[in-house]
Amino acid sequence: MSQETRTPDYDPATLEPHWQQRWAEEGLYHSDVESARPKFYALTMLPYPSGDLHIGHWYAVTPSDARARFERMRGANVLFPLGFDSFGLPAENAAIQRNIHPREWTTKNMERMRGQIRSMGTMIDWRREIASSDPEYYRWTQWLFLQLLAGGLAYRKHAAVDWCPSCNTTLAREQVVGEDRRCERCGTLVTRKELEQWFFRTTRYAEELLDFSAIDWPERVRTLQTNWIGRSEGARIRFAPAGRAQDTEPVEVFTTRPDTLWGATFLVLAPEHPAVAALTSAERRDEVTAYVEGARRQSDVQREAADREKTGVATGGHVVNPATGEQIPVWIADYVLPGYGTGAIMAVPAHDQRDFEFARKYGLEIRPVIRPAGGEALAAAQMEEAYVGPGELADSGELTGTPTTESVRRTGEWLAARGTGESAVTYRLRDWLVSRQRYWGAPIPVVHCPACGIVPVPEDELPVRLPEDVEWRPTGESPLKLHPTWRKVDCPRCGGPGERDTDTMDTFVDSSWYHLRYLSPHYDDGPFDPAEYRYWMPVDTYTGGIEHATMHLIYTRFFHKALRDLGITQGDEPMLRLRNQGIILGEDSEKMSKSRGNVVAPDALVARYGADTVRAYLMFFARWEQGAPWSPDGIEGAARWLRRVWTLLLEGRQATQDSGGAPQAGEATRRALRRKVHQTIAQVTQDFERFQFNTVISALMELANEMSRATADGAAGSSEWMEAESVYLRLLAPVAPHLAEELWHRLELGDSVHRQSWPEADPEAAAEDEITLVVQVNGKVRDRLVVPADVSREEAETRARASEGARKFTEGLTVRKVVYVPGRLVNIVAT
RNA sequence: GCCGGAGUGGCGGAACGGUAGACGCAGGGGAUUUAAAAUCCCUCGCCGAAAGGCAUGCGGGUUCGAAUCCCGCCUCCGGCACCA
């Protein structure tokens, strides 16, 4: 046997670390402000340093990286940073279990994860890394808190707040999930606690947050946010107290059906409503007090179970229905929630099912005031449920006869003219509770002074550092409160003895602005360098999981708008385009978890196949936005593909050299190769733009197959082959950066492939010169003809009608019509 | 209950209203090999010997032509839910 030149093996284990090191040394992925080039800010959600990198991290980061690389090769100056969301409860909980300091646990995890992320071969600019638990970072989280405070957007109030007894801290409304109200983090049933807490005024931005017109975000996220904000249009109506209480303030209700006012036969207050005491008569006092006490003791789960039978008690007090002038009784009932609307409703039992049930149970009047469309007037005694359909107003004074299509508007005008009410909008959204009674977070930078009240810590004293020597075990009190000295400070205003706020901030505050700190992570004069901001912001593409739809993704929009109003940021939205990746489930189609033992460890995959294969497979194995159960066999396909590319290009180069520039392949083969090359450029470009990574890979696989056929036909050595090589490696570079780089160098194509520009598709080269013309009879495929691409209509129709398939199926029929779709088909309509 | 999203081969999935199932996995057959791995070639929706027929959750409709558009259902996933 003769000694052949053997193609070396594809060995990612050596070439990947080699290139990673080279790129780092050269600073290949440093992104700096460069006004000459268009910027592109590609952001991916920052990970929590939980210790071990999960395949889900790879799924979030590597396709995002590929897309950032694509933008870079297209000529943009791309910023693709990463950091760590390193404050938070898991660090504290882990630290408690292992008896090490949260900082130590977090630092170790970040080190480990940094190494793992580096193995992905991303274009992350590590100079811009941030960690939210860094004093250099949280100094500015605190500074931003103070700006919100000064701007009236942060405030303190005493309220019943959601409390997780396991995490021993308060939770934001968004962190309470499910029908039975569990802690978003640990799943424990949430209870209520009365506490004085810090809030951010998210509700002030409710209306603006509903407007998505300036951003390209997925429909799914937009609806989740829209539902979460929960806008209701209706009216506020004031009911003046009657009898003994007539000198007290009117009771205001919110209703979406002001047009049913004439049917309001009683009023219901939430047990917590401030007017309860004034409206309660002496003889009802004991019963009312007992009911209020009972409601307070009940858990929210019990109270808010919709299927529970309604209970309530009469207060003995009355108010005047402003429409009818009649006195109607006032009740209290726990189906009216203190936190929504005004905490009081007008009950219209004839037209609201809840009120109907309540009225039937307690024998209250049911008075129909809507005549159903095209039907008989309703009779209260015969009704079995509330009528909520369309119709016209009945027994409604001067508005009688108004159709329900305009009755809400006209009642609003009627009320406004009398000064007893007006149109109003209510939101479900609550203000964001940001205080946490835990150690591992950014301390709230205020001092409580007995003389001056709440005093902000002066800017030049920031950051308010976390003390290191603290008992961080949770007791329900903030650990900072238990520190012997930390909280004792002089009041910055009067110099008298004061006390630091001992709560820390919700970690969602940290992550609401991290994209700004990446711009200048070590900037000392503000949260970010304005010059960097002007160049890089807003974020062009934001990628991450959908689970943050009603948390982080609302908070960060709120934060940006609030900072805009404080003159700190510009523009209305922080992130222009959002795309969410799906979830990779375990092989058993269940959520991956250590306890189920179905966790896929990326390190093992990288060790076995190399990072490029893992990247390619993650982009290929499912629709990115959908996710799928992990399939261990599929990755072999991606590995095979990259190995084939390796041998194809190296053997192709050998054959090129052997040919001495005289390819054996004929013109047709070479033209076909060039056509496929340019078709692939167009396809891959379009699919990258749309985040359709799976078809990027399949297009590249197809081109490799075509190139494989072309070399078999002797295309190596031709100019078409050389073009194919160069294009292939550039299209591959975002997906498999190490392999593409290695081959780029082995083929001696020049400097780093990652500095090359994205190839451009030549439509002329991509055009087919022959097409398959489909012949249909009555819409069914009956024949296929190969014709020149520029075939004339007449020619196409004639040949189609003469085709065997067409003749066979039109025999004995009359041709009524012929539809011709150029380049595709001829449809013969015959009967 | 309300609001979204999704239903296409054994599997992941392709498909500007125009050849349904690209690309890949798994399966079947073969080549190479002492053997295996790796690699390469062929095959692969269902029924049918073939001609052909049937197929994109179900039922209608629009259209020359529907996975794609419209109407009505069913199932799964997610969110919200006594929100006045």
Side-chain angles (χ1 to χ4, degrees), chain A residues 685-751:
Chain A
T685 306
Q686 183 190 296
D687 290 345
F688 258 125
E689 264 167 14
R690 296 197 261 181
F691 292 80
Q692 284 175 20
F693 303 118
N694 56 340
T695 47
V696 165
I697 308 297
S698 59
L700 289 172
M701 285 173 168
E702 278 186 56
L703 179 54
N705 293 344
E706 176 72 27
M707 286 169 71
S708 185
R709 277 189 294 273
T711 34
D713 293 346
S718 64
S719 61
E720 289 84 356
W721 176 260
M722 315 269 255
E723 184 191 24
E725 282 178 339
S726 155
V727 167
Y728 202 88
L729 291 177
R730 282 180 287 156
L731 296 181
L732 185 66
V735 177
H738 314 89
L739 172 62
E741 184 81 311
E742 176 75 18
L743 286 172
W744 190 261
H745 283 264
R746 282 180 183 256
L747 299 191
E748 295 169 339
L749 294 173
D751 186 20

Side-chain angles (χ1 to χ4, degrees), chain A residues 675 768-775 783-792 795-796 799-800 803-804 820 823-826:
Chain A
R675 183 179 306 126
E768 301 282 352
D769 39 35
E770 275 185 338
I771 55 155
T772 303
L773 186 72
V774 170
V775 180
D783 218 328
R784 291 182 171 90
L785 305 171
V786 175
V787 300
D790 59 354
V791 67
S792 71
E795 172 81 9
R799 290 187 55 180
S803 71
E804 199 186 323
Y820 174 59
R824 293 208 176 262
L825 58 80
V826 172

